[in-house]
Amino acid sequence: MRIDLHTHSSVSDGTESPAQLLATAQAAGLGVVALTDHDTTAGWALAEAARPAGLTVVPGMELSCRWFPPDGTRPVSVHLLAYLFDPADPGFAAERLRLRDERLGRAERIVHALAADGHPVSWPEILQARNGGVVGRPHVARALVEAGAVESVDQAFATLLHHTSPYYVAKADTDVLAGISLVRRAGGVPVFAHGLATKRGRVVGDDAIAAMAQAGLLGLEVDHPDHRPDERAHLRGLAADLDLFMTGSSDYHGANKETAIGAELTAPEEFERLLAAGTGAAPYAD
Ligand code: AMP
Ligand code: FE
Ligand code: FE
Ligand code: ZN
């Protein structure tokens, strides 16, 4: 059974609609796929309605979070995958709404700053491109590519949209320990996404992962395209020490990234542990 537990649709910053994404998953021979758009569950109903027979769909999300080091040093951006939570849980729903609002204001500031310096992007164009979905830097990156200002989405992220760029604006993401509590209280299963991907920037230490486990974290995403072999090995050791299950996933974003769906997979016995812990929603299955 091929199981991929981390994908994005056009409801956030992927390029395929949930229906197209499920068709892609099935064509790639997956038996299980999780839909984990950033900070929204808007794709869940679309995925449930479009699910092809034989494919199990796990409703999920990727929550934008920050780890605040106890020594008061700068917070570290972390992503928390959440599966099988109750989408109607009021506390968690309110926090998602706050994050989406935060994303909108922040993207507008990035775009206005770029445009003021003559870079070919406009806010109405970005709003149109997001098509009602959750906005992210990939939308701005694509607009810069289409206007010929950069050669690729990757180049946009390496230059104008990099977190060290003068145009970069941070978001007020959720404290990850609070995020873990919100997910658990909604009956969901929290998994630390691409936790040691130094390729993406600063990462947290073992102390943070231990604190997250203490707060109710249940799994670690070990096999991810952005993890080197040594980073995977370190996470495997932590999962054993902290009694967390391990996942492997592609973090598919359609044409916004090079990675193919199913490029990394989760072992069936690890998936069983995830399923057993989720009580807020059920997978969509035959
Ligand atoms: P944001 O959430 O707006 O801060 O943007 C970060 C998103 O951009 C994440 O979902 C990443 O998956 C995506 N991303 C980061 N770096 C790249 C890259 N080089 N190419 C494409 N997407 C990227
Ligand atoms: Fe993304
Ligand atoms: Fe992520
Ligand atoms: Zn992701």
Side-chain angles (χ1 to χ4, degrees), residues 8 13 38 62 64 79 103 106 135-138 153-154 157-158 168 171 200 251 253 256-257:
H8 297 264
D13 59 3
H38 296 283
E62 188 173 17
S64 307
H79 290 177
R103 282 179 167 279
R106 171 261 204 162
V135 75
R137 278 180 289 163
V153 167
D154 245 13
F157 268 94
Y168 180 77
K171 307 190 256 81
R200 291 169 167 249
D251 201 355
H253 278 69
N256 273 347
K257 278 193 187 171

Side-chain angles (χ1 to χ4, degrees), residues 196 222-237 264:
L196 292 186
V222 172
D223 290 316
H224 182 282
D226 291 349
H227 279 154
R228 296 187 311 243
D230 58 309
E231 292 166 343
R232 297 176 192 218
H234 190 77
L235 284 167
R236 283 201 177 85
E264 307 271 1

Side-chain angles (χ1 to χ4, degrees), residues 108-129:
E108 185 171 10
R109 284 167 64 199
I110 293 176
V111 168
H112 283 152
L114 284 166
D117 277 357
H119 297 289
V121 284
S122 75
W123 186 235
E125 168 200 22
I126 299 294
L127 283 179
Q128 195 177 5

